[in-house]
Amino acid sequence: MGSISFRNVDKVFGHGAGGVKALDDINLEIADKEFVAIVGPSGCGKTTCLRMVAGFEAASAGSVLVNGRPVTAPGPDRAVVFQQFALFPWKTVRENIELGLRNKNLPIGERNDLVAGALKLMNLETHVDAFPHQLSGGMQQRVAIARAYVLDPEVLLMDEPFGALDAQTRVVMQEELVRLARHNPRTVLFITHAVEEAVYLADRVAIMTRRPGRIKEVLDIKAVRERENWDSHARIEDVMDLESFVHLRTHIWKSLREEKGFKDV
Amino acid sequence: MAPLVSRKTLIGGMTVIGLVALWFGLTTLTGLVTGARFPSPAEFWFSLKQINGRGYAGSTLASHAVHSLKLVLMGFTVAVMTGVPLGLWMGWSRRVEAFINPVFLIIRPIPPLAWIPLAILWLGLGDAAKILVIWFSAFVPSAINAFTGVRNIDKPVLEAARMLGTPRWRMVREVILPASLPMIFTGLRLSLQASWTTLVAAELVGALVGVGFVLNMAQQDIYPGMILVGMVTVGILGWATTVLLARIERRALAWNVAARD
């Protein structure tokens, strides 16, 4: 089980007159095993939403619930994949992936099996003993995803995980994540500013307004994807060419552009 | 294929040979600098033979050097063992920082050498006073750099560790300590330098054995050759301990890109 609920959530940074309202009355229900992406203009507070589920920030008002229980602190039931990978540079690939399992006090045999599984899942078998700085950005993010997946978390929180990768690597990782999410579904909250990425990956896409961030619209992608049978296309570019995909993408673009229009034009 | 001796080493060696040649030229060859001001290579060699054979200032060069080295290593170790944990603790806890920082602010401007009279008053001319003074001087760089090391840890790395449910002690041992290690080693290098400076100064003022004592006696005897022997000895010992520390650092930070050349 791994449902996420935002109920009337406000977030204010700072105090009193100097305080800045980052989030305004966020309401969002994410069901167990659902993949939801949040898109929005920069600074709209989408990352803050994720950080509240992770337990790094507390809501100023309202409540953030996971499985109906309020979030109080970070924990391995809500694994986070960070934009800048946040690997431990002094630990090898294996040691990075293993730390969470050691913290759970799993016996070594079980631990090794799980690590081996995660390494295989992310195609990291040949880099087990490498240090992070010896790996490319894409490889480092694979390690970070393996480190999160190996915990078998109820909820996976991904904060612009492919934002620091080059375009080609990014596409490969998106395809891999789809493969993972379809074969081994779990609840995912995915933050991005890349519209195509959101449409390609998510079951639903939530669009946020500029600051103070509100949920403007939630689009059901899964219904379209299943109706138009997107998953029969192996490659991301083929999916992106489909009329149904283009339609959704354009809709979100327009919605975001309205937001920017207040300020930029 | 890599050459047997690197270009850097070659140029360095040539500089040393050039300096020795200049030294020889200014003293023995031309007599521009008289032996009363600065010893010639021959006088230096004579002093070196004397202290190694008959001894000077109570014992041979080896026992003076070993004694000084022992004190530096002891003082340095005590300073590091106390300074680094305190720095880490201050870095981790704002409350501890608030408690300790005023003490630092008051004590730091006092030059470590100004503690020497008090140390001698308390503990006499023996080893304990010197270790105390070295501790005063070497403690601060270790503590401050460990503190900075913790404060500069990449925030997402700490968050990742918390997210993974890392318990408190494992957090210190496997995350905070290794993450701060590059800065800690910077502190250790500064502490080591401070240890040598302070030791020689303390031995100059009050000691019965040690390289600083050799320097002090040679000055009173107006014996430039022996003064130079003492200076060169301190230089070599300081260099050797620094090289050793750098080796340890390279090993400990094998994972760190910045530490590799």
Side-chain angles (χ1 to χ4, degrees), chain B residues 21-34:
Chain B
L22 186 72
W23 176 26
F24 185 73
L26 285 176
T27 51
T28 314
L29 214 58
T30 61
L32 279 173
V33 178
T34 63

Side-chain angles (χ1 to χ4, degrees), chain A residues 51 55-56 74-76 78-82 86-91 96 99-100 102-103 105 131 133-134 147 151, chain B residues 153-167 170 173-176 178-180 254-257 260:
Chain A
R51 292 177 58 79
F56 298 141
R78 285 152 290 130
V80 183
V81 177
F82 298 85
L87 297 175
F88 308 112
W90 50 90
K91 288 184 184 290
N96 265 282
L99 180 61
R102 285 172 55 217
N103 294 341
N105 294 318
F131 286 107
H133 74 80
Q134 295 168 316
R147 179 176 71 177
L151 294 168
Chain B
I153 299 177
D154 199 20
K155 214 174 140 213
V157 167
L158 287 178
E159 289 178 342
R162 288 170 63 204
M163 171 271 283
L164 294 170
T166 313
R170 183 168 290 164
R173 263 202 336 271
E174 296 191 27
V175 180
I176 295 172
S180 319
W255 53 269
N256 193 7
V257 216
R260 302 183 317 160

Side-chain angles (χ1 to χ4, degrees), chain B residues 43-192:
Chain B
E43 285 164 320
F44 172 74
W45 183 245
F46 175 81
S47 308
L48 194 63
K49 266 187 5 204
Q50 184 199 339
I51 195 170
N52 277 329
R54 254 185 310 129
Y56 181 79
S59 50
T60 60
L61 181 62
S63 51
H64 284 300
V66 166
H67 189 82
S68 293
L69 185 65
K70 200 180 76 190
L71 287 188
V72 161
L73 292 183
M74 282 165 76
F76 174 73
T77 308
V78 174
V80 166
M81 302 278 266
T82 50
V84 171
L86 186 78
L88 292 175
W89 199 24
M90 281 172 69
W92 187 239
S93 158
R94 305 259 163 194
R95 190 177 301 165
V96 174
E97 186 201 355
F99 264 111
I100 310 266
N101 216 21
V103 183
F104 262 89
L105 288 177
I106 294 167
I107 291 185
R108 252 186 98 183
I110 303 174
L113 304 187
W115 290 97
I116 294 174
L118 203 56
I120 291 177
L121 205 63
W122 286 346
L123 298 167
L125 299 181
D127 296 348
K130 271 123 212 142
I131 293 172
L132 182 70
V133 181
I134 293 175
W135 182 67
F136 273 130
S137 68
F139 172 83
V140 175
S142 279
I144 297 214
N145 282 282
F147 169 80
T148 313
V150 176
R151 283 296 156 87
N152 287 349
I153 299 177
D154 199 20
K155 214 174 140 213
V157 167
L158 287 178
E159 289 178 342
R162 288 170 63 204
M163 171 271 283
L164 294 170
T166 313
R168 197 184 174 82
W169 272 110
R170 183 168 290 164
M171 190 82 166
V172 174
R173 263 202 336 271
E174 296 191 27
V175 180
I176 295 172
L177 187 66
S180 319
L181 213 51
M183 279 306 284
I184 290 176
F185 268 106
T186 303
L188 296 196
R189 275 201 304 272
L190 294 170
S191 286
L192 187 60

Side-chain angles (χ1 to χ4, degrees), chain A:
Chain A
M1 277 296 289
S3 67
I4 305 172
S5 314
F6 292 88
R7 299 209 176 128
N8 309 107
V9 173
D10 288 358
K11 178 68 186 178
V12 180
F13 286 108
H15 300 281
V20 176
K21 191 161 199 181
L23 294 172
D24 181 20
D25 196 29
I26 298 289
N27 282 286
L28 185 65
E29 297 288 329
I30 301 173
D32 183 42
K33 308 244 189 301
E34 194 181 20
F35 194 130
V36 172
I38 300 182
V39 296
S42 17
C44 74
K46 51 191 190 290
T47 289
T48 306
C49 290
L50 177 137
R51 292 177 58 79
M52 288 193 298
V53 181
F56 298 141
E57 311 266 359
S60 306
S63 47
V64 177
L65 311 172
V66 170
N67 286 329
R69 288 188 304 274
V71 172
T72 52
D77 56 322
R78 285 152 290 130
V80 183
V81 177
F82 298 85
Q83 181 176 6
Q84 297 299 337
F85 322 137
L87 297 175
F88 308 112
W90 50 90
K91 288 184 184 290
T92 62
V93 168
R94 169 187 293 284
E95 290 165 347
N96 265 282
I97 298 172
E98 206 174 30
L99 180 61
L101 299 175
R102 285 172 55 217
N103 294 341
K104 284 185 169 180
N105 294 318
L106 287 186
I108 189 155
E110 197 177 333
R111 218 159 69 198
N112 287 341
D113 291 348
L114 286 170
V115 170
L119 288 167
K120 191 166 152 49
L121 190 70
M122 295 313 293
N123 287 321
L124 287 164
E125 289 122 313
T126 50
H127 297 84
V128 194
D129 297 316
F131 286 107
H133 74 80
Q134 295 168 316
L135 303 176
S136 67
M139 277 301 197
Q140 291 189 43
Q141 196 58 303
R142 279 167 193 271
V143 178
I145 293 172
R147 179 176 71 177
Y149 251 87
V150 81
L151 294 168
D152 193 24
E154 293 174 342
V155 166
L156 197 56
L157 304 168
M158 308 186 90
D159 185 11
E160 302 201 32
F162 308 142
L165 304 181
D166 63 80
Q168 286 97 323
T169 311
R170 197 176 172 135
V171 166
V172 174
M173 295 298 287
Q174 286 163 347
E175 287 175 351
E176 294 225 4
L177 187 59
V178 161
R179 180 174 58 85
L180 274 180
R182 303 289 182 264
H183 293 151
N184 190 3
R186 60 193 63 229
T187 316
V188 181
L189 179 59
F190 191 99
I191 306 298
T192 182
H193 58 257
V195 173
E196 291 183 329
E197 180 172 274
V199 177
Y200 179 65
L201 293 172
D203 296 329
R204 283 192 296 152
V205 174
I207 306 170
M208 284 182 70
T209 66
R210 70 196 172 89
R211 189 156 64 200
R214 269 171 284 113
I215 303 272
K216 183 182 180 183
E217 193 179 351
V218 181
L219 296 173
D220 190 353
I221 310 287
K222 192 181 183 183
V224 180
R225 184 175 64 224
E226 287 177 351
R227 194 176 65 227
E228 305 288 332
N229 205 7
W230 289 2
D231 286 349
S232 65
H233 303 274
R235 294 203 179 147
I236 190 167
E237 59 268 30
D238 297 332
V239 177
M240 285 181 180
D241 273 347
L242 297 172
E243 201 185 324
S244 53
F245 186 98
V246 173
H247 179 76
L248 282 167
R249 186 190 65 192
T250 309
H251 179 92
I252 298 172
W253 263 119
K254 281 182 178 159
S255 186
L256 284 172
R257 195 173 285 248
E258 276 169 30
E259 287 310 312
K260 293 193 173 162
F262 284 108
K263 194 171 69 182
D264 295 346
V265 179

